Amino acid sequence: MSAADLERQILVVGGAGYIGSVLTRDLLAAGHRVRVLDSLLYGNGGSLAAVAEHPGFEFARGDVRSADQVRAAVEGVGEVVLLAALVGDPVCKGSPELAEQTNVGGARNLIDASAEAGVERFVFASTCSNYGLRTDEPATETDELHPLSLYAETKVQMEGELLERARHASFEATVLRVATAYGISPRMRFDLTISEFTRELALGRALEVYDADTWRPYCHIADTSAAIALVLESAPELVSGEVFNVGGAGGNYTKRMVVETALAALDGEGEVVFTEGGADARNYRVSFEKISERLGFSPRHTVPGSVERLVEAIRSGVFDSVEADPLLYLNYELSGR
Ligand SMILES: NC(=O)c1ccc[n+]([C@@H]2O[C@H](COP(=O)([O-])OP(=O)(O)OC[C@H]3O[C@@H](n4cnc5c(N)ncnc54)[C@H](O)[C@@H]3O)[C@@H](O)[C@H]2O)c1
């Protein structure tokens, strides 16, 4: 690593979250200076405890909805990664105004401030959920989008606005459509399919699974973090103005396959009730050829390997406080925030 790399200041907005706390740790470990802007919406500041004494780390508690706080956070920054959002269909549906203000208004604040401050590179975490419904071929980046929720609508909106803005601004922008995440993070989430199914079954609860044969792609948080770092390091001509699906060839699973994987890690023990007609109509497989071919990216983690480790962690008591502190672990209820 060169001295110039050590000087690079990267702003990770939403860096205390499920993916962000892993990315922040990884960027610091790679020798970068990292500033995190995060409002700690879920009381999730503890996710940064392990990096709080790192000399390259800086934390600005603030809200992307405040143009002033965002302007202050981008000062002196070369690269910006936008992760902060209301993440997931249920929480956006439950707090639609906050979702709009954060995912659209907040993102606009950051784009404006980055353009003004002379930021060189802007990476936006979007989602494969934007494909919504795609039952024939795996979706590629140029395929039509079918956002089926307010969450996905806000992401589609900001993908378009960012790429349009970047054509005239001084920064290079890249959109990453990230697959549904799994893996153990300093800010753990148990509202995502793999972790939720695994936890319910590991605790011996009957698991109700809707529409078991619908598809979704998955990517481990450490691999998503590696993909973001790779994009930050790639030559502009490879990533500027581009959209990449983030995940790998073996990452498309049906919910039934996720259940089978969790049951295998539990020696086949567990009660599952399969039901049709759930509220979540998403059903899509995704192609990850572009990021593989253009950037040489392929995930290192697998769903079965990670599920085994999660079962061990749950059984040994690492996550015994989920029930006592649901806000910290689940992106569902935001009452009063
Ligand atoms: N987790 C997934 O499965 C997944 C899949 C695809 C894309 N993504 C995208 O990756 C990003 C991160 O997701 P995550 O799973 O880490 O979610 P998360 O909810 O764990 O993290 C979001 C972070 O943003 C912060 N935040 C929320 N509102 C804020 C505001 N107004 N101002 C400042 N900070 C605010 C929260 O405190 C939190 O730390 C999101 O943009 C999401 O859309 C996630």
Side-chain angles (χ1 to χ4, degrees):
M1 185 169 311
S2 71
D5 282 333
L6 289 168
E7 290 307 310
R8 272 165 64 185
Q9 172 100 47
I10 302 172
L11 175 67
V12 181
V13 183
Y18 180 54
I19 294 171
S21 55
V22 173
L23 177 67
T24 298
R25 178 193 71 194
D26 292 351
L27 291 174
L28 286 167
H32 303 300
R33 290 193 297 134
V34 178
R35 181 182 299 159
V36 166
L37 173 69
D38 199 299
S39 63
L40 307 181
L41 183 64
Y42 304 99
N44 49 318
S47 66
L48 297 172
V51 296
E53 289 191 310
H54 193 292
F57 176 72
E58 222 183 290
F59 179 54
R61 185 168 186 179
D63 196 313
V64 287
R65 292 173 297 159
S66 158
D68 287 343
Q69 289 173 14
V70 169
R71 239 180 265 119
V74 296
E75 225 168 88
V77 161
E79 290 141 320
V80 169
V81 180
L82 174 54
L83 300 167
L86 277 206
V87 183
D89 303 354
V91 75
C92 288
K93 195 174 174 194
S95 304
E97 281 179 21
L98 186 61
E100 282 278 347
Q101 290 166 6
T102 307
N103 299 9
V104 176
R108 282 181 188 148
N109 283 342
L110 191 62
I111 294 168
D112 287 346
S114 299
E116 276 168 31
V119 163
E120 288 159 28
R121 198 166 284 204
F122 193 117
V123 177
F124 174 51
S126 188
T127 168
C128 285
S129 284
N130 292 352
Y131 295 116
L133 208 54
R134 178 75 201 224
T135 49
D136 45 4
E137 293 292 301
T140 68
E141 289 82 352
T142 51
D143 289 346
E144 206 180 318
L145 301 174
H146 295 282
L148 298 176
S149 63
L150 173 61
Y151 169 59
E153 279 168 17
T154 62
K155 291 288 179 177
V156 171
Q157 165 92 22
M158 291 320 300
E159 281 190 8
E161 286 192 24
L162 173 64
L163 292 177
E164 178 54 29
R165 185 70 183 274
R167 287 170 15 152
H168 313 290
S170 55
F171 58 73
E172 322 271 2
T174 306
V175 168
L176 299 181
R177 289 190 190 135
V178 177
T180 299
Y182 68 92
I184 298 174
S185 161
R187 191 263 153 153
M188 190 54 193
R189 285 183 59 186
F190 282 106
D191 59 321
L192 296 163
T193 315
I194 290 178
S195 56
E196 182 193 351
F197 286 10
T198 304
R199 180 168 177 270
E200 292 301 296
L201 291 170
L203 294 177
R205 297 175 181 162
L207 175 68
E208 192 171 5
V209 176
Y210 285 94
D211 306 317
D213 297 309
T214 52
W215 289 89
R216 204 86 72 73
Y218 295 93
C219 186
H220 194 279
I221 42 182
D223 290 318
T224 296
S225 166
I228 294 170
L230 180 61
V231 167
L232 288 172
E233 281 165 13
S234 295
E237 58 272 24
L238 292 177
V239 295
S240 181
E242 296 290 338
V243 178
F244 292 96
N245 296 331
V246 176
N252 289 294
Y253 275 66
T254 61
K255 288 187 195 172
R256 193 184 301 279
M257 289 159 70
V258 174
V259 168
E260 283 163 1
T261 306
L263 287 174
L266 292 159
D267 304 319
E269 304 241 340
E271 188 189 339
V272 187
V273 180
F274 292 106
T275 315
E276 295 299 315
D280 188 347
R282 283 177 296 173
N283 185 11
Y284 53 96
R285 284 178 300 143
V286 173
S287 163
F288 299 102
E289 271 175 34
K290 180 175 174 183
I291 195 164
S292 164
E293 284 170 12
R294 191 177 292 201
L295 303 184
F297 173 77
S298 62
R300 302 175 61 164
H301 295 259
T302 66
V303 175
S306 179
V307 163
E308 277 180 25
R309 302 310 299 262
L310 184 57
V311 167
E312 282 169 25
I314 292 166
R315 282 185 168 158
S316 56
V318 173
F319 296 112
D320 275 0
S321 58
V322 177
E323 248 63 60
D325 194 358
L327 180 70
L328 181 59
Y329 292 98
L330 308 164
N331 281 17
Y332 288 138
E333 290 298 331
L334 284 174
S335 49
R337 283 179 185 256

